[in-house]
């Protein structure tokens, strides 16, 4: 469902509609009561000047910034949108901290945070070599945003406690800092997911993803990555004299933790392999990693499908305990009598 469209009537220019989903509009108001009005003003400006944004580090996404001082109860905002020949769709709204605003002002004229990402640790050449096809990346951006919006929209309507437990999106600078910390280029699909949500604090003891697993915070991602890389380094000392085919892989540098067993339980979870684009299972106990054969897109899409059509769900069944989403595969026995299966 799309929100109101703002229509361009500029002479000599093809009409352009600017669309903002009701879900995004409602979500953005958590940053301040003046955000809705700021979005309305911006939408009118975009309708008249669709190309006013600057390219972001996400292919296919243009960004504009809103000066919060111009609107009452509105922080400085970074807003991403997709530009098509006859329409614009605003895809995300993130507040900009004072530090990020100052940094942006000092580097005026450069693409928003794009140079920060490309310049981290002198990895410009690596960035170019590993960059995916821009058209494919643009599709991926839309797929992740659509799947996540389906999940969060369901939560907002049916499981408000779980919806409230989701953290807001991370800023581009925070994601770039994590990328520099890991020393691995973060794939576009994970980048856009973190722009939309940077963790799940959980409700009723579990996260909102199948199995009651939780989207990890950026701090938890960094901590789990360091722990697993240390485990691999320790393993390498034992493998020094072993033949190559007998050496044990505990962790690869391209594996990025994404999902944990629970909001407060990072003993196991799912990683995204930045080299292949597939998810895999990881465990703190150095169990053999398991291949999921899912991409992040298909994983999120299937989670959304199971919520919207529970009768067709095969991997897990959604249900509710009060205002929290609880998946059937991992119900706490102490709460089992309160669990109500979701029948759509």
């Amino acid at each position: 469902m799309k929100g109101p469209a703002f229509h361009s009537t500029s002479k000599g220019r093809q009409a352009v509609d600017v669309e903002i989903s009701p879900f995004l509009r409602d979500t953005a108001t958590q940053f301040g009561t003046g955000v809705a009005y700021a979005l309305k003003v911006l939408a009118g400006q975009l309708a008249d000047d669709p190309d006013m944004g600057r390219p972001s580090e996400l292919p296919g996404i243009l960004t504009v910034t809103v000066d919060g001082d111009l609107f009452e109860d509105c922080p400085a905002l970074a807003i991403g949108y997709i530009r098509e020949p006859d329409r614009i769709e605003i895809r995300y709204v993130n507040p900009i901290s004072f530090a990020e605003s100052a940094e942006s002002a000092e580097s005026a004229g450069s693409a928003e945070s794009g140079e920060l990402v490309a310049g981290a640790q002198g990895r410009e050449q690596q960035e170019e070599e590993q960059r995916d096809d821009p058209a494919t990346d643009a599709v991926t951006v839309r797929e992740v945003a659509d799947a996540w919006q389906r999940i969060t929209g369901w939560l907002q309507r049916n499981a408000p406690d779980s919806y409230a437990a989701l953290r807001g999106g991370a800023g581009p600078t925070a994601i770039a800092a994590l990328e520099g910390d890991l020393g691995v280029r973060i794939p576009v699909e994970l980048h856009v997911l973190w722009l939309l949500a940077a963790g799940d604090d959980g409700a009723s003891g579990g996260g909102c993803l199948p199995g009651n697993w939780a989207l990890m915070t950026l701090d938890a991602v960094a901590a789990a990555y360091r722990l697993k890389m240390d485990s691999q380094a320790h393993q390498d000392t034992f493998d020094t004299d072993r033949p190559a085919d007998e050496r044990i892989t505990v962790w690869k540098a391209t594996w990025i933790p994404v999902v944990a067993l629970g909001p407060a339980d990072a003993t196991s979870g799912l990683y995204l392999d930045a080299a292949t684009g597939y998810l895999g299972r990881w465990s703190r106990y150095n169990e053999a990693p398991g291949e999921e054969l899912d991409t992040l897109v298909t994983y999120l899409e299937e989670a959304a499908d199971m919520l919207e059509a529970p009768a067709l769900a095969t991997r897990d069944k959604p249900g509710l305990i009060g205002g929290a989403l609880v998946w059937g595969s991992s119900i706490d026995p102490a709460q089992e009598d309160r669990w109500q299966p979701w029948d759509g």
Side-chain angles (χ1 to χ4, degrees), residues 113-135:
S113 78
E115 291 184 3
L116 290 175
V117 176
Q121 298 184 347
R123 289 182 285 112
E124 294 89 347
Q125 183 175 357
Q126 178 188 8
E127 189 78 14
E128 278 298 319
E129 292 174 352
Q130 295 184 352
R131 191 181 303 278
D132 294 331
D133 176 67

Side-chain angles (χ1 to χ4, degrees), residues 3 59 70 80 83 106 112 128 136 141 151 205 231 249 254 266 279 289 310 313 334-335 339 342:
L70 299 178
R83 165 76 162 99
E106 291 173 1
E112 180 188 4
E128 278 298 319
T136 300
V141 168
I151 292 170
S231 295
T249 298
T254 57
L279 296 171
Q335 296 183 311
W339 186 74
W342 176 255

